[in-house]
Amino acid sequence: MLSRTLRHAALPFMQDVNYVVQQTTQLAVLDGADVLIVERLSRRGAVSNPAEVASRMPVHLTSMGHALLAFAAPGQMDRVMSVHGERIRRERPEFLRELGEARSRGHLRLGGLINTDTAGASVPILDARGHAIAALTIVVPLAWDRLPQALMAMQTASRGISRALAAGAVPGASGRPVE
């Protein structure tokens, strides 16, 4: 039920981000020790992206996984590491450092891991305690130079989604804006 409510609250904001960046925009949640894609918007001319709605991706190879774990509720990181810790340490020895960077910056960009020609950039969508509910992600060309502008749009959208969820509102459903 949370993913349906989340998706409905996020969709108008995702559409705005997708319009600004002109590339794939995704919404993901942490599901066990994996990242689950809840929604995905693409457009003609967007870079190739293997993620599909309802597909799972490795938490340690995606910017969305990093954003989710960097702001995870207590205990979530331990659960992920208990399932995938050995693999994560082997494949991404810089994983914990990158989580620290994501926490301090409020976002993370990872390039060339899933597809060598693309990068993912993600921001967390936070609950009232500052824990990640979801991650908002864009997938862009590896050498894309518009990330600072895109991050402003993504962070604004993330805060809007958080407010809409906290208010129990779905933007546009009542005809009044979410404050």
Side-chain angles (χ1 to χ4, degrees):
M1 186 64 169
L2 172 63
S3 64
R4 186 178 314 152
T5 302
L6 172 63
R7 183 188 168 280
H8 287 301
L11 199 52
F13 297 100
M14 289 180 67
Q15 289 167 335
D16 288 346
V17 170
N18 186 256
Y19 179 78
V20 169
V21 301
Q22 301 285 304
Q23 296 288 339
T24 300
T25 307
Q26 298 175 161
L27 181 68
V29 296
L30 194 59
D31 187 34
D34 297 313
V35 174
L36 175 67
I37 308 297
V38 176
E39 184 59 84
R40 178 180 185 263
L41 302 177
S42 196
R43 56 180 49 244
R44 185 175 299 208
V47 295
S48 175
N49 177 14
E52 295 293 334
V53 171
S55 66
R56 295 176 185 282
M57 301 194 77
V59 70
H60 65 293
L61 297 178
T62 62
S63 63
M64 54 195 147
H66 282 66
L68 288 164
L69 283 181
F71 293 90
Q76 283 187 310
M77 178 66 149
D78 293 336
R79 286 189 291 278
V80 168
M81 293 305 281
S82 72
V83 174
H84 294 301
E86 186 176 314
R87 178 181 177 199
I88 290 170
R89 285 186 286 279
R90 184 180 64 250
E91 294 179 5
R92 297 287 301 155
E94 57 277 284
F95 182 69
L96 296 177
R97 180 187 53 77
E98 290 168 343
L99 290 182
E101 287 178 21
R103 271 190 296 277
S104 68
R105 293 181 183 164
H107 71 275
L108 187 72
R109 177 197 175 278
L110 288 178
L113 294 178
I114 301 291
N115 179 329
T116 57
D117 297 327
T118 66
S122 297
V123 298
I125 298 167
L126 304 174
D127 65 16
R129 296 171 311 231
H131 300 141
I133 301 167
L136 181 62
T137 300
I138 58 173
V139 180
V140 298
L142 192 58
W144 201 60
D145 63 354
R146 295 181 43 217
L147 189 58
Q149 299 90 333
L151 282 169
M152 286 190 295
M154 293 170 66
Q155 289 166 334
T156 300
S158 169
R159 288 189 295 273
I161 297 165
S162 292
R163 284 192 307 272
L165 289 169
V170 176
S174 66
R176 62 176 166 47
V178 176
E179 298 180 31

